[in-house]
């Protein structure tokens, strides 16, 4: 048997406008599929903030053919797992089921994506649910920190507005407004259907190409210029026993190669138990419980961030140590054998995307969107193996520049903003 990442991805652009990503994996007894809409909250007009997320909820509330109770019953009968999410970049419905239910699942999800009815009673009920969800988000210090960080990092644009929306806009939602948004945005030209698992690709292609989808070529993912803040600091006053700090910078470009380098840098600095910040700040000095780094790959940007939460009494000491760890990296580079260890770790994480149809389904969307199918997992592994220390250090110098960093702090009372010396 060949390694899983040797399997060929079939890419088909259908006459009805839908893009198919198909990966037959005959040794599985399951199949995973996603209806992936390439528009997210960043594409909303200001008066539509939260509409993508609200629409995602309404997709489960009944359509022209199936009631919400029928949808729930049928998905449960399949014994699989169906869910959805909204991000800044997309709205996605996904499902994993025994392979003999694939055609049934496609028919259900096509109705959800394409023919939801937005019943007034259901909309009113879901509005209440979403407002509760919104208020819960605002009560969580870490969630609130991230929301305010993005709002200030990307001011006056969809990328900085909250995915869940604003209370005033959600309260004002009507069926007419939301279904107009749905018909405009949830269209064939924005839709990728990704399927991985045990299925016949030609049979499934024939089934999907005979379905009718809306098209709207005036509304598609855009490359509008995004403004990055010139401010250095922001503060949110909120009841919290810990000081929460989030600091990051942006590179206004995106590529598969840059993303892989950023992942390596994050693993090195804070995104693993053996990373430099985690070992020094948490394990060695015990200054805090939570400290990490993260890369957020957006459509046209990559955000690299450092997060920690700490008791106020240890706040200044933690900032001092974070400065020391980053300065040490920038001044002295990598330790002997450090890069090879991190490469192995990242390759192992990549290989884990091959252990289930669900992960294959997701990774195929990633490769399609970011590399236009020119790069696959095997080529990615080769790229990682060939990375040099200078590849990582040049990116570290670009991201970890205190003059480019925006820092947001959340606490119950005003504190001094961090002074970064790197």
């Amino acid at each position: 048997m060949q390694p899983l990442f040797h399997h060929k991805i079939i890419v088909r652009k259908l006459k009805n406008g839908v893009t198919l990503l198909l990966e037959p994996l005959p040794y599985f007894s399951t199949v995973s599929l996603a209806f992936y809409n390439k528009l997210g909250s960043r594409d909303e007009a200001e008066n539509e903030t939260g509409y993508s997320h609200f629409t995602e909820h309404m997709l489960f509330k009944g359509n022209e053919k199936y009631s919400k109770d029928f949808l729930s019953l049928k998905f449960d009968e399949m014994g699989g797992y169906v869910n959805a999410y909204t991000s800044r970049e997309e709205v996605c419905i996904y499902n994993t089921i025994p392979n003999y239910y694939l055609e049934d699942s496609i028919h259900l999800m096509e109705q959800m994506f394409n023919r939801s009815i937005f019943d007034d009673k259901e909309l009113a009920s879901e509005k209440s649910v979403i407002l509760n969800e919104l208020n819960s988000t605002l009560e969580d210090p870490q969630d609130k920190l991230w929301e305010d960080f993005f709002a200030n990092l990307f001011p006056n644009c969809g990328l900085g507005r909250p995915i869940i929306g604003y209370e005033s806009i959600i309260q004002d939602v009507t069926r007419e407004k939301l279904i107009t948004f749905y018909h405009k945005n949830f269209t064939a030209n924005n839709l990728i259907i990704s399927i991985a698992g045990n299925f016949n690709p030609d049979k499934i292609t024939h089934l999907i190409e005979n379905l009718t989808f809306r098209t709207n070529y005036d509304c598609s993912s855009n490359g509008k210029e995004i403004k990055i803040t010139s401010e250095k600091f922001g503060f949110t006053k909120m009841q919290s026993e810990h000081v929460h700090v989030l600091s990051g910078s942006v590179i206004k470009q995106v590529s598969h190669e840059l993303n892989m380098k950023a992942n390596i840098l994050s693993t090195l600095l804070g995104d693993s138990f053996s990373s430099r910040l985690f070992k020094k700040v948490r394990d060695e000095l015990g200054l805090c419980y939570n400290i990490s780094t993260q890369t957020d790959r957006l459509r046209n940007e990559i955000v690299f961030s450092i997060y920690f939460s700490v008791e106020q009494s240890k706040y200044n000491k933690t900032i001092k140590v974070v400065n020391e760890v980053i300065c040490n990296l920038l001044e002295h580079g990598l330790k002997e054998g450090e890069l090879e260890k991190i490469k192995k770790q990242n390759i192992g994480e990549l290989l884990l995307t091959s252990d289930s149809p669900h992960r294959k389904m997701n990774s195929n969307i990633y490769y399609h969107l970011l590399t236009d199918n020119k790069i696959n997992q095997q080529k990615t592994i080769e790229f990682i193996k060939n990375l040099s220390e200078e590849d990582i250090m040049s990116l570290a110098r670009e991201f970890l520049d205190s003059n480019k960093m925006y820092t947001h702090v959340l606490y119950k009372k005003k504190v001094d903003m961090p002074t970064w010396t790197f």
Side-chain angles (χ1 to χ4, degrees):
M1 183 184 296
Q2 288 182 316
L4 297 185
F5 54 81
H6 281 168
H7 280 267
K8 182 175 176 61
I9 313 303
I10 302 167
V11 182
R12 290 173 174 164
K13 184 71 174 179
L14 305 184
K15 290 182 180 179
N16 60 10
V18 174
T19 299
L20 288 187
L21 305 179
L22 307 174
E23 185 169 11
L25 302 168
Y27 34 78
F28 285 102
S29 59
T30 59
V31 63
S32 293
L33 70 154
F35 277 50
Y36 180 102
N37 198 57
K38 297 186 294 182
L39 295 178
S41 64
R42 74 179 292 164
D43 303 293
E44 298 166 342
E46 186 171 4
N47 64 351
E48 298 172 336
T49 302
Y51 276 28
S52 297
H53 176 256
F54 205 135
T55 299
E56 174 220 317
H57 279 233
M58 293 304 297
L59 299 182
F60 291 84
K61 299 303 177 180
N63 50 63
E64 293 175 8
K65 192 172 182 178
Y66 307 117
S67 68
K68 71 167 186 178
D69 291 337
F70 183 87
L71 287 172
S72 300
L73 177 64
K74 291 305 291 184
F75 281 125
D76 284 347
E77 281 183 355
M78 291 177 187
Y81 179 78
V82 64
N83 210 336
Y85 68 87
T86 302
S87 79
R88 293 178 174 86
E89 307 285 310
E90 73 271 345
V91 178
C92 183
I93 322 165
Y94 58 95
N95 192 15
T96 297
I97 64 282
N99 68 308
Y100 46 83
Y101 283 127
L102 176 58
E103 293 185 31
D104 290 339
S105 186
I106 289 172
H107 284 299
L108 293 175
M109 291 171 70
E110 180 272 330
Q111 285 284 321
M112 293 168 66
F113 180 89
N114 213 25
R115 307 178 195 282
S116 288
I117 57 175
F118 292 72
D119 176 78
D120 277 320
K121 183 178 178 181
E122 295 293 344
L123 191 145
S125 175
E126 208 59 28
K127 181 184 293 188
S128 177
V129 170
I130 290 171
L131 289 171
N132 283 329
E133 184 182 355
L134 188 154
N135 290 328
S136 295
T137 299
L138 297 179
E139 291 173 358
D140 185 290
Q142 194 167 339
D143 287 346
K144 179 61 175 168
L145 175 71
W146 276 98
E147 182 175 299
D148 290 354
F149 173 81
F150 264 87
N152 286 277
L153 184 62
F154 298 109
N156 304 315
C157 66
L159 196 53
R161 293 192 285 267
I163 296 169
I164 198 170
Y166 299 114
E167 182 174 358
S168 59
I169 293 178
I170 300 304
Q171 288 279 21
D172 194 46
V173 167
T174 63
R175 180 183 186 276
E176 181 181 7
K177 290 177 181 179
L178 202 59
I179 204 164
T180 298
F181 176 87
Y182 166 65
H183 286 158
K184 179 179 69 173
N185 290 276
F186 286 69
T187 61
N189 47 297
N190 292 320
L191 176 60
I192 298 171
I193 299 179
S194 179
I195 306 175
N198 189 342
F199 67 100
N200 182 314
D202 292 332
K203 183 179 180 182
I204 293 304
T205 298
H206 179 71
L207 186 158
I208 294 174
E209 69 185 354
N210 283 292
L211 299 173
T212 302
F213 292 85
R214 291 180 299 274
T215 56
N216 178 13
Y217 292 99
D218 292 329
C219 185
S220 58
S221 58
N222 62 72
K224 291 180 182 178
E225 185 71 13
I226 295 294
K227 179 184 177 183
I228 300 171
T229 185
S230 58
E231 300 294 324
K232 297 298 181 186
F233 301 104
F235 177 75
T236 297
K237 185 177 181 180
M238 181 177 177
Q239 186 61 37
S240 174
E241 295 307 309
H242 286 78
V243 186
H244 295 260
V245 180
L246 181 58
S247 187
S249 63
V250 185
I251 294 180
K252 291 179 71 174
Q253 66 182 73
V254 65
S255 69
H256 179 58
E257 292 77 12
L258 181 60
N259 193 48
M260 289 299 100
K261 292 177 187 177
N263 288 342
I264 294 284
L265 176 61
S266 184
T267 303
L268 163 72
L269 195 58
D271 190 24
S272 68
F273 292 143
S274 59
S275 64
R276 291 193 178 194
L277 283 171
F278 191 90
K279 286 184 69 175
K280 186 70 176 181
V281 177
R282 189 189 189 283
D283 276 0
E284 184 178 327
L285 299 175
L287 291 172
C288 66
Y289 178 74
N290 285 322
I291 185 163
S292 61
T293 57
Q294 180 171 314
T295 59
D296 286 278
R297 178 188 59 81
L298 303 169
R299 190 175 300 152
N300 305 306
E301 309 84 14
I302 293 183
V303 181
F304 187 92
S305 57
I306 302 165
Y307 164 79
F308 59 89
S309 62
V310 63
E311 295 173 1
Q312 187 187 12
S313 61
K314 299 175 182 177
Y315 174 64
N316 290 326
K317 173 67 173 176
T318 303
I319 292 168
K320 179 175 182 292
V321 175
V322 169
N323 272 315
E324 290 171 354
V325 170
I326 294 176
C327 286
N328 182 271
L329 172 64
L330 295 176
E331 291 172 14
H332 302 291
L334 302 178
K335 302 171 185 176
E336 184 177 355
E338 192 173 23
L339 181 56
E340 292 307 309
K341 187 272 291 183
I342 296 168
K343 286 181 181 181
K344 290 178 181 178
Q345 183 175 345
N346 275 254
I347 289 170
E349 291 171 356
L350 268 174
L351 290 173
L352 287 175
T353 65
S354 299
D355 72 350
S356 74
H358 179 82
R359 290 181 175 183
K360 295 291 285 181
M361 171 199 76
N362 280 329
S363 63
N364 292 342
I365 296 172
Y366 164 83
Y367 286 115
H368 174 78
L369 290 173
L370 196 56
T371 76
D372 195 25
N373 309 306
K374 295 181 176 67
I375 305 293
N376 57 24
Q377 192 182 80
Q378 189 174 6
K379 291 180 180 179
T380 300
I381 290 172
E382 290 303 314
F383 176 80
I384 293 174
K385 288 180 177 179
N386 291 324
L387 283 173
S388 67
E389 178 175 343
E390 181 53 30
D391 289 328
I392 305 306
M393 290 307 303
S394 63
L395 188 62
R397 289 188 287 270
E398 189 168 2
F399 271 130
L400 301 171
D401 180 344
S402 58
N403 293 316
K404 298 178 182 178
M405 302 287 280
Y406 170 74
T407 302
H408 205 93
V409 176
L410 180 149
Y411 191 49
K412 60 186 176 183
K413 61 183 179 181
K414 191 75 174 178
V415 293
D416 292 335
M417 291 296 106
T419 300
W420 301 126
T421 58
F422 44 84

